[in-house]
Amino acid sequence: MSENNKQKAVLSVTEDIRAKILDGTYPEGMALSQVDIASAYQVSRTPVREALQILAGEELVEIRDTGRATVTTISPESFLEKCELRALIEVKLLELAIPLMGPEDIAKAREINESLKKCAPEEWTPLNYQFHEVLYKPANRPLMQNVIKDLHHRHYARLKSFILSHRNTPRSLREHDELIDRCERQDIEGACYALESHIMMSAYALAEQLKSQQLKRRQATKL
């Protein structure tokens, strides 16, 4: 296989396995056999090995000393840490964005929040990301914005169904309305406090529910 074809194979295998992990087709803890994957994609084990290394760097796959690869388990502690990181960055972005917000930014945020009030469940996650993105976009901090985008689209994607089934929708929408009002009044301190509370109160509740769910799963496997 030429170097060009090998890289194409690595990219194809990486993208497909990543998609299957993110949508839950490959659940956490599932073993990923290099032999089976190579056979399924009709490639050698070399591009499969490289693909798994890439996914390990994305924290989607764990590769042990034996070389055995499994889909990583999302620990409540890891989830909470990512929420803390998100809160730190988004609060700073909002602080920088509010003085630069115009009426069109506020209007767009209200429009998206109205869409959230009547959207289908599968539309919630992308719309919710758009809502937050609109509020901090005026800050014009592309590197920080990319970190937040990565957290949403890579790490939160794996918990999409869990978050959807456990979120408090009325409270989230009320908090969005309050956040928009504070931004419109140029209340930087109040808006930043509201945003941090909005992210972290939900995060603490979800982390506890995730911990409870995983405990029940472990107990069930012992029966």
Side-chain angles (χ1 to χ4, degrees), residues 50-212:
E50 291 188 22
L52 293 176
Q53 289 289 348
I54 292 170
L55 295 169
E58 297 176 2
E59 300 179 31
L60 296 175
V61 168
E62 178 185 5
I63 301 177
R64 300 178 184 174
D65 294 339
T66 59
R68 183 171 178 266
T70 59
V71 178
T72 53
T73 297
I74 305 172
S75 71
E77 294 78 16
S78 173
F79 169 73
L80 193 57
E81 183 179 4
K82 289 178 174 67
C83 290
E84 289 168 343
L85 178 59
R86 179 189 159 197
L88 282 170
I89 298 175
E90 285 204 41
V91 166
K92 184 61 180 178
L93 283 169
L94 188 65
E95 178 188 345
L96 296 169
I98 289 176
L100 302 173
M101 282 185 186
E104 66 280 2
D105 299 307
I106 299 298
K108 185 63 176 177
R110 291 197 189 281
E111 178 187 333
I112 296 172
N113 204 40
E114 287 302 312
S115 297
L116 279 165
K117 293 175 182 178
K118 53 193 175 185
C119 73
E122 63 273 12
E123 297 174 314
W124 174 275
T125 299
L127 278 173
N128 187 56
Y129 172 76
Q130 289 174 33
F131 172 82
H132 286 270
E133 184 182 43
V134 163
L135 291 179
Y136 60 67
K137 193 172 183 179
N140 192 27
R141 293 294 192 276
L143 180 59
M144 295 167 73
Q145 291 168 359
N146 282 336
V147 173
I148 294 300
K149 186 175 184 178
D150 181 70
L151 285 170
H152 272 272
H153 293 297
R154 185 189 298 171
H155 300 291
Y156 283 83
R158 289 187 64 191
L159 288 170
K160 181 178 178 180
S161 60
F162 175 79
I163 292 173
L164 287 176
S165 62
H166 289 85
R167 75 169 188 265
N168 186 328
T169 302
R171 188 185 70 189
S172 292
L173 293 171
R174 287 196 304 270
E175 290 172 353
H176 282 181
D177 283 329
E178 178 189 359
L179 189 54
I180 295 169
D181 290 342
R182 290 184 181 276
C183 289
E184 189 171 33
R185 296 198 301 269
Q186 298 279 294
D187 177 8
I188 296 176
E189 183 178 353
C192 289
Y193 176 79
L195 177 59
E196 183 177 16
S197 298
H198 173 65
I199 294 171
M200 292 312 302
M201 292 303 290
S202 174
Y204 290 132
L206 286 168
E208 286 302 312
Q209 289 162 347
L210 184 60
K211 189 183 298 183
S212 175

Side-chain angles (χ1 to χ4, degrees), residues 2-13:
S2 69
E3 183 63 25
N4 186 48
N5 286 338
K6 190 191 84 168
Q7 289 307 313
K8 286 181 179 179
V10 171
L11 180 62
S12 176
V13 173

